[in-house]
Amino acid sequence: MSTYHANEKGYYGEFGGAFIPEMLYPNTEELRQNYIKIMEDPGFKAEFDQLLKDYVGRPTPLYFAKRLSDKYRTKIYLKREDLCHTGAHKVNNTIGQILMAKKLGKNRIIAETGAGQHGVATATVCALMGIECVVYMGEKDIARQAPNVARMKMLGATVRPALSGSRTLKDATNEAIRDWINNPVNTHYIIGSVVGPHPYPDMVARFQSVISEEIKWQLLEKEGRDYPDFVIACVGGGSNAAGAYYHYLDRPEVGIIAVEAAGKGVHSGESAATSALGRVGIIHGSKTLLMQTQDGQITEPYSISAGLDYPGVGPMHAHLYRSGRGEFISITDDEAMTAGLMVSQMEGIIPAIETSHAFAIFDHRRFRPDDIIVINLSGRGDKDLSTYIDYFKL
Amino acid sequence: MNRINKKLNEPGKLLSIYFTAGYPKMADTVHIIQELEKNGVDMVEIGLPFSDPLADGPTIQQSSTAALRNGMTTEKLFAQLKDIRKTVSIPLILMGYFNPMLQYGVEAFCEKCNDIGIDGIIMPDLPLDVYLEEYETTFKKFGLINVFLITPQTSDDRIRQIDKASQGFIYMVSSASVTGSKTGFGKTQTEYFDRIASLKLHNPQIVGFGINNADTFQQATGKAKGAIIGSAFIKYLTEKGVANIGDFIKTIRPL
């Protein structure tokens, strides 16, 4: 294993590990001991691959964005995760984890969700497998993301409001963890990103790694080589980015670029740019970079995109940042929204606001005409229509 | 000898009380500790509030949020406790989550605890292996006893490891739950209490979670050395304030 993947204790450099209360030890230990064995089992792999193909709609296209490429005078490919069933890359992970839960003999699923995309992806696979599903969602997010709450209910999930703290994603995660403490035997917790205690960051990254696995052969077909010069993704917790980077982490010829949400400006006090604003600490069982007070209290991030406003970042990304392997760029709300509209009208694709952040990079950074760039188009913008419409007064 | 060990060597069952520092009012911390000692409490866990207390139920969460809103910080708590040993002699344990300790600096935090006369630390999210590899030396250097938790799901093997790493007592979480969520003990708990007793551990055990009255205190201390009450006491403070703390203690263990 290389320096950019997790070691056997779940550390990426100094980041990661499992800082969990003893109540969670048996659950995470059971998972830790089994996850690689299960994932490498041929039967499991076959079932996972088949569902990704027939149910999720993989492989997702790698699309050469001609008009964008002309505009920015470089070669831009879009990895179309927005075309996955449920509208984002999130489902790659939930399919994997529901199969994992079944192998471990669990009959109840819990999940946290911020904007609701992971909640919907979890409710979807639970419906598919006929397993009970409880999704924790911050009370504030429930009010802001009514359509996704309705989708989860339609799919048969119970949506429980997180009433503590700031009543958003981090509190929903706390509530899900508390549920797992209260139900240690029959329940599997499907975490939605590359965060949480080991083995979650590594397990979720492995399930999402199908993204870069496909990019490799798709580029080989189109460009005669299996790697781009740069792979670009937006980072909240960092699961779509982890999937897009995964097979390129140890290939120095590939530049890794992470785009974070600067909100109203990195130093405006309303931002989610964790690499710039975070310090090393512990959040949700993982040692990573996180936004916190001097005193170690976790602070509430802000972004116009509900999928990027997590106060931490996965330990893989903290390590990419600290080691200099990854280039981190912060994009404001305004820049992201403008880029989202631009992509909609130049390529006929309305991206999720999370993904729009990645498209705003071209105003910050130049690329050479012969550079091959892959942007992970992590999700579609249907869920964000009302935000776009309000913003642009369309 | 550490005050905790000395107390554990005394005959009889121990009553230990948890409260959140800075709650209900910022300035209540010292008064609460003094009142607890006056009313016969054997040991106190002083809770350092945290924004994201993921092992705690609504009662302690709410007290932590309120304490932080009152302005409590690690530095301010240390300042409040500066002279505590002039008036209080029972063992004092700081209980919190690891991130605030990490931000303060583990060494500086331990040194400060030692200066003040804190005897032990409970950090539920500082796991055994990390403690042993990175922090045991520092804790010991400053004479601090680190207390580990076990639950009904903890395997015998792991309990033995925890017993080996412990130097005071083992915090026995009574059921699979966050704090304050279950009350009363059933067959599962009795079997669990029996199983732990049969392991003949080096360290005595103190039971926590789910104890809120004389009955549950009796049950919890049947085999164990003592019991810890947290949420029920916080609830009392919320409803009745800090004036008559003795009334609460009498409902658990009459003087």
Side-chain angles (χ1 to χ4, degrees):
Chain A
M1 271 292 172
S2 77
T3 43
Y4 298 106
H5 286 98
N7 70 16
E8 72 285 355
K9 285 186 162 180
Y11 279 91
Y12 299 83
E14 65 173 300
F15 301 107
F19 292 80
I20 45 166
E22 193 61 32
M23 294 84 112
L24 286 176
Y25 182 83
N27 319 24
T28 51
E29 184 61 12
E30 179 186 29
L31 198 56
R32 189 189 68 78
Q33 285 180 2
N34 291 294
Y35 81 109
I36 290 180
K37 204 167 39 187
I38 291 175
M39 287 178 81
E40 286 177 352
D41 172 69
F44 181 90
K45 269 187 177 164
E47 199 178 356
F48 180 55
D49 291 347
Q50 190 239 321
L51 280 171
L52 287 185
K53 179 168 175 279
D54 297 336
Y55 187 72
V56 174
R58 303 203 73 92
T60 59
L62 184 70
Y63 161 71
F64 178 65
K66 184 163 185 317
R67 295 190 68 206
L68 275 186
S69 298
D70 288 347
K71 179 173 159 94
Y72 294 111
R73 295 197 182 83
T74 190
K75 288 176 100 171
I76 301 170
Y77 284 91
L78 308 181
K79 181 58 175 163
R80 297 291 309 274
E81 293 301 296
D82 59 317
L83 294 177
C84 288
H85 178 43
T86 73
H89 70 289
K90 290 286 185 191
V91 73
N92 302 327
N93 170 46
T94 60
I95 291 272
Q97 285 205 50
I98 197 82
L99 294 176
M100 179 73 64
K102 278 177 67 181
K103 291 278 178 208
L104 294 171
K106 309 290 177 180
N107 58 20
R108 179 174 177 270
I109 295 294
I110 53 171
E112 85 295 339
T113 197
Q117 289 305 104
H118 174 60
V120 167
T122 304
T124 298
V125 298
C126 286
L128 179 68
M129 298 295 170
I131 294 181
E132 182 190 351
C133 179
V134 176
V135 179
Y136 288 90
M137 189 168 184
E139 195 186 29
K140 267 189 201 161
D141 290 333
I142 287 181
R144 290 193 290 200
Q145 309 286 339
N148 272 343
V149 176
R151 289 167 83 191
M152 286 185 267
K153 286 183 178 164
M154 181 87 188
L155 292 160
T158 304
V159 180
R160 285 199 193 144
L163 305 170
S164 60
S166 50
R167 293 170 289 132
T168 59
L169 175 60
K170 87 175 167 72
D171 310 286
T173 309
N174 291 337
E175 286 306 326
I177 291 173
R178 288 178 188 125
D179 182 307
W180 211 21
I181 289 174
N182 288 330
N183 299 284
V185 180
N186 70 335
T187 297
H188 175 73
Y189 177 18
I190 300 190
I191 294 186
S193 193
V194 286
V195 301
H198 179 56
Y200 278 101
D202 186 46
M203 181 173 70
V204 176
R206 284 168 187 254
F207 284 134
Q208 291 293 358
S209 71
V210 64
I211 298 172
S212 48
E213 202 178 297
E214 289 174 4
I215 295 173
K216 279 172 69 182
W217 63 257
Q218 288 170 323
L219 268 183
L220 191 62
E221 272 182 17
K222 290 175 201 296
E223 293 286 343
R225 62 181 230 203
D226 73 349
Y227 64 96
D229 294 292
F230 295 95
V231 52
I232 300 172
C234 61
V235 173
S239 70
N240 92 78
Y245 303 158
Y246 195 86
H247 291 284
Y248 298 120
L249 287 170
D250 297 321
R251 296 185 59 176
E253 65 272 30
V254 180
I256 284 174
I257 301 179
V259 181
E260 291 183 310
K264 296 181 178 169
V266 172
H267 299 292
S268 64
E270 292 183 82
S271 173
T274 310
S275 67
L277 299 170
R279 298 197 320 277
V280 180
I282 313 268
I283 182 170
H284 298 137
S286 180
K287 187 188 259 192
T288 187
L289 292 170
L290 65 117
M291 293 166 58
Q292 53 183 318
T293 65
Q294 207 59 41
D295 199 42
Q297 309 296 341
I298 298 170
T299 53
E300 190 56 21
Y302 163 82
S303 164
I304 193 167
S305 142
L308 298 181
D309 64 356
Y310 184 68
V313 65
M316 173 200 281
H317 302 299
H319 182 50
L320 290 174
Y321 176 73
R322 266 295 161 85
S323 64
R325 173 71 182 94
E327 183 181 336
F328 282 65
I329 293 178
S330 309
I331 297 295
T332 64
D333 288 355
D334 291 336
E335 292 169 322
M337 296 302 276
T338 305
L341 187 65
M342 180 270 293
V343 171
S344 302
Q345 299 187 351
M346 286 193 72
E347 294 291 348
I349 298 168
I350 301 174
I353 298 174
E354 290 81 0
T355 317
S356 294
H357 284 73
F359 283 108
I361 191 172
F362 297 104
D363 296 325
H364 286 257
R365 196 188 186 296
R366 292 257 167 88
F367 296 93
R368 294 198 314 259
D370 60 345
D371 276 341
I372 296 172
I373 289 161
V374 173
I375 295 184
N376 197 33
L377 213 169
S378 55
R380 58 177 174 247
D382 307 33
K383 71 182 177 63
D384 295 319
L385 277 185
S386 66
T387 313
Y388 279 128
I389 286 167
D390 288 351
Y391 185 88
F392 291 111
K393 313 264 183 289
L394 294 174
Chain B
M1 191 191 261
N2 186 297
R3 289 181 198 91
I4 295 173
N5 298 117
K6 223 180 278 171
K7 182 61 80 176
L8 290 164
N9 286 340
E10 289 173 10
K13 304 294 183 180
L14 305 184
L15 170 60
S16 185
I17 297 283
Y18 168 93
F19 76 102
T20 305
Y23 180 83
K25 300 261 165 47
M26 182 66 181
D28 287 334
T29 313
V30 171
H31 171 77
I32 290 174
I33 299 170
Q34 290 168 340
E35 285 300 305
L36 290 172
E37 178 167 42
K38 250 181 242 167
N39 286 283
V41 167
D42 298 295
M43 192 156 68
V44 175
E45 275 100 44
I46 305 165
L48 180 60
F50 183 49
S51 55
D52 295 75
L54 45 78
D56 286 302
T59 304
I60 293 180
Q61 284 172 44
Q62 172 264 327
S63 69
S64 299
T65 307
L68 292 172
R69 210 176 291 133
N70 289 343
M72 186 51 81
T73 64
T74 309
E75 197 67 70
K76 284 180 184 165
L77 177 59
F78 285 146
Q80 289 184 345
L81 296 176
K82 186 167 56 81
D83 295 322
I84 194 73
R85 284 303 174 198
K86 289 182 182 160
T87 55
V88 171
S89 60
I90 54 174
L92 297 176
I93 297 176
L94 269 196
M95 182 162 184
Y97 288 82
F98 188 48
N99 196 48
M101 184 176 187
L102 193 63
Q103 301 312 315
Y104 195 89
V106 173
E107 171 117 18
F109 190 99
C110 291
E111 188 174 7
K112 198 82 191 179
C113 286
N114 179 272
D115 289 348
I116 289 167
I118 298 290
D119 308 291
I121 304 273
I122 308 177
M123 293 279 156
D125 60 343
L126 172 57
L128 178 66
D129 58 335
V130 178
Y131 169 75
L132 292 176
E133 275 165 39
E134 297 181 40
Y135 301 115
E136 189 183 28
T137 327
T138 311
F139 276 55
K140 284 189 171 168
K141 181 175 156 192
F142 294 103
L144 294 169
I145 285 179
N146 190 29
V147 178
F148 296 99
L149 277 55
I150 61 170
T151 80
Q153 272 71 42
T154 313
S155 68
D156 288 359
D157 273 358
R158 188 158 170 89
I159 291 173
R160 299 251 181 240
Q161 287 173 37
I162 286 170
D163 190 34
K164 202 173 147 210
S166 301
Q167 292 185 301
F169 64 91
I170 291 174
Y171 190 136
M172 238 175 106
V173 176
S174 67
S175 62
S177 72
V178 295
T179 55
S181 47
K182 291 174 191 171
T183 51
F185 296 128
K187 190 164 162 270
T188 322
Q189 274 77 40
T190 319
E191 283 169 8
Y192 166 55
F193 295 161
D194 289 348
R195 171 168 78 96
I196 302 304
S198 74
L199 291 175
K200 309 242 175 290
L201 302 174
H202 302 296
N203 292 273
Q205 304 94 50
I206 299 192
V207 179
F209 293 39
I211 300 146
N212 63 344
N213 55 28
D215 276 354
T216 41
F217 180 76
Q218 284 283 330
Q219 283 175 289
T221 54
K223 298 240 157 76
K225 176 68 183 169
I228 303 174
I229 297 177
S231 299
F233 181 58
I234 306 259
K235 254 182 215 154
Y236 178 87
L237 292 178
T238 306
E239 285 161 17
K240 305 275 167 68
V242 298
N244 300 300
I245 284 172
D247 292 350
F248 174 80
I249 303 303
K250 273 176 224 142
T251 67
I252 309 297
R253 188 175 68 178
L255 270 179

